Amino acid sequence: MELKNVALNDLHESLGAKMVPFAGYNMPVRYSSDIEEHNTVRNAVGVFDVSHMGEFVLEGPEAMDLIQRIVSNDVSKLVDGQAQYAYLPNETGGVVDDLLIYRFNQEKWMLVVNASNIDKDWDWVNKYNTKGVSLKNVSDNYSLFAVQGPKATAALQKLTDVNLEDIKFYNFVVGPMAGVDHVIISATGYTGAGGFEIYVHNDHAESVWKQIFEAGEEFGIKPIGLGARDTLRLEMGYCLYGNDITDETSPLEAGLGWVTKFTKDFTNSEALKAEKEAGVKRKLVGFKVLDKGIPRSHYELLDAEENVIGEVTSGSMSPCMGCGIGLGYVTKAFSAPGSEIYVAVRNRRLKAEVVKLPIYKK
C-alpha cells in the first residue's frame, strides 16, 4: 500500500526528521533524540504534527442521536465548545476505536479518530447512520498540531486574541490563530504535559506551523516525533489503540469504565453491563520495573512462582523516571497497586511493581 503524506511532509524532511511508515502515513518519528524531545515537552514546549488523525463532521437534527447510539460515553452531558473522550464498542465485547467527540452545537459535531482506523471507523459510523445524518470525512483536508508542554500557553497566546487561560481542559474555541480565522483551539492532548491541539485547514498549515515556532523560540520550542509521543503517553498510562486496546480487548478490563455510561443504550451495552456486574477477570495495569531492563509488547508477565499471569501491551524506558515502565493485562489478583510481578525478558525475570496511574507523577 502506498504511504500517504501529511501536508507538511517536505518541511519535516527539511528539518532532518527521520520518517517512518505509521498507520499508512509517512510520519516523523524523531528529529534529534527521543529523550531530548520527551524532556522538551515535559519541561518547555514541543509541537507534534499529528495530521494523520481522522476527522469526521456530523451534522443534522439526528447527529447527537447517532453518536449516542455508537459511543460508550454520554454526549448529552456536553455543552457547545466541549470535547469528550470515548470509545466505539463493537458487537462482540471489544473496541472498534477510541476517539474524541467535539460538540460545536446541537446539530454539528466532530469525531476525531485514530489514523490506522479511519476507513474502519468511517464504515462503522455509516453502518449505524439510519436517520440521514450528514457525514463528511474531512481527514485529508485538515492538519492537526499538538502544541504540548508547560510553556505552550505562553507561546500560543502571542498568536491569538482568544484568552487561552480561559479554555478549560477538554474545552475548545473556534477562533483566530496566527492570522487564520476559524481555527479549532482545543485544550486536549496525549502527553499529560498540558497544552493545546490546533486544527487548521491544509492551505494554512505551513504558515501556522512556522508562526508557532517563531512564537515559541524564546521557550526553546522544538518539533517532536512519534517516538517521544509514545513515551510521554506511556508515562501517563494513556491507551494506544492496537496495543492496549483492540477489537478483541474488553474496554472494562482496559480501565475504560469511566467513559462507559449505562444511563443510555449503545452498541453492545447490555453485554458490557452484564460483564461489569459479573466482574472482570483481568485488568490493564501500569507498572515500573525495579530491575535493570526494558519491557516490550508481548513479553509475558509472571508471578513469583513463574506462573504466567498476563502480558505486556506497551513498554519502554521512562526518560523522566530512568527505569523501564509499561502497561499490561494481569489477572485481577495482581492488579492492585503495590503488587509484585515479573517481566519475562528472554532468559531473565525482571522484578516490577504495579503502580497507580499515571505511572509518572510530577
Side-chain angles (χ1 to χ4, degrees):
M1 190 179 76
E2 192 176 340
L3 289 176
K4 295 174 82 169
N5 287 335
V6 296
L8 300 189
N9 181 80
D10 292 351
L11 185 147
H12 296 308
E13 289 183 349
S14 75
L15 292 171
K18 181 181 181 193
M19 308 298 286
V20 299
F22 181 80
Y25 286 78
N26 200 29
M27 294 295 292
V29 69
R30 73 184 55 84
Y31 300 82
S32 54
S33 80
D34 293 347
I35 292 176
E36 182 186 320
E37 291 174 22
H38 180 110
N39 290 329
T40 293
V41 174
R42 280 275 178 258
N43 301 315
V45 56
V47 187
F48 305 82
D49 185 345
V50 284
S51 304
H52 61 319
M53 300 290 282
E55 293 89 19
F56 306 155
V57 176
L58 290 71
E59 291 185 270
E62 300 289 342
M64 186 167 102
D65 175 72
L66 170 58
I67 296 168
Q68 283 286 69
R69 284 186 286 125
I70 61 174
V71 305
S72 60
N73 213 334
D74 185 356
V75 299
S76 71
K77 304 294 184 193
L78 294 179
V79 299
D80 296 357
Q82 271 189 324
Q84 188 184 72
Y85 177 68
Y87 62 90
L88 298 166
N90 65 22
E91 291 154 353
T92 53
V95 179
V96 177
D97 201 5
D98 61 338
L99 74 164
L100 290 184
I101 303 157
Y102 286 77
R103 173 179 163 137
F104 294 94
N105 57 55
Q106 178 86 15
E107 296 193 8
K108 183 177 180 182
W109 303 72
M110 181 170 74
L111 308 182
V112 181
V113 303
N114 284 299
S116 56
N117 292 332
I118 291 173
D119 292 341
K120 178 176 78 163
D121 293 356
W122 179 248
D123 291 344
W124 188 264
V125 177
N126 275 280
K127 171 181 162 183
Y128 285 91
N129 183 21
T130 55
K131 297 182 181 178
V133 175
S134 165
L135 295 178
K136 285 183 195 146
N137 181 354
V138 298
S139 307
D140 290 339
N141 303 334
Y142 284 85
S143 290
L144 173 55
F145 305 141
V147 186
Q148 298 282 292
K151 304 293 186 187
T153 303
L156 289 176
Q157 192 62 73
K158 298 179 183 182
L159 302 176
T160 182
D161 56 12
V162 174
N163 189 338
L164 299 180
E165 295 280 3
D166 288 347
I167 307 177
K168 298 193 181 92
F169 194 43
Y170 269 77
N171 283 247
F172 68 96
V173 168
V174 180
M177 169 69 70
V180 180
D181 293 329
H182 307 299
V183 173
I184 300 172
I185 308 165
S186 175
T188 48
Y190 193 49
T191 65
F196 295 87
E197 293 183 304
I198 308 295
Y199 297 81
V200 59
H201 198 277
N202 286 342
D203 293 347
H204 305 294
E206 186 167 354
S207 169
V208 171
W209 173 278
K210 286 179 175 175
Q211 288 182 68
I212 290 171
F213 275 82
E214 287 166 14
E217 188 176 0
E218 67 172 290
F219 305 110
I221 196 167
K222 288 175 185 166
I224 312 295
L226 293 176
R229 185 171 167 82
D230 193 49
T231 52
L232 286 157
R233 70 92 192 170
L234 185 53
E235 285 185 343
M236 302 313 293
Y238 295 154
C239 288
L240 174 65
Y241 193 89
N243 283 46
D244 315 301
I245 47 176
T246 68
D247 273 307
E248 282 76 47
T249 52
S250 157
L252 301 179
E253 292 181 346
L256 298 180
W258 66 285
V259 292
T260 307
K261 299 299 193 301
F262 295 116
T263 50
K264 55 159 200 160
D265 290 328
F266 57 87
T267 314
N268 207 40
S269 57
E270 286 304 313
L272 289 170
K273 193 187 291 182
E275 182 185 355
K276 182 185 178 185
E277 286 164 2
V280 298
K281 295 183 174 60
R282 60 175 197 159
K283 284 188 172 181
L284 184 68
V285 299
F287 62 88
K288 64 178 182 182
V289 178
L290 305 177
D291 291 332
K292 210 168 183 179
I294 302 174
R296 298 295 183 196
S297 182
H298 302 304
Y299 284 5
E300 288 181 335
L301 293 170
L302 315 171
D303 64 12
E305 283 75 49
E306 301 199 7
N307 300 304
V308 177
I309 55 165
E311 182 180 84
V312 177
T313 53
S314 291
S316 186
M317 173 66 73
S318 163
C320 288
M321 298 167 67
C323 64
I325 60 170
L327 293 172
Y329 285 96
V330 295
T331 53
K332 201 171 173 185
F334 291 88
S335 64
S339 298
E340 181 182 288
I341 60 174
Y342 293 84
V343 184
V345 183
R346 292 178 286 279
N347 57 349
R348 298 170 60 213
R349 290 189 318 146
L350 305 179
K351 188 174 182 179
E353 179 187 9
V354 173
V355 296
K356 188 179 178 187
L357 299 178
I359 301 173
Y360 167 65
K361 278 93 172 164
K362 297 175 209 174

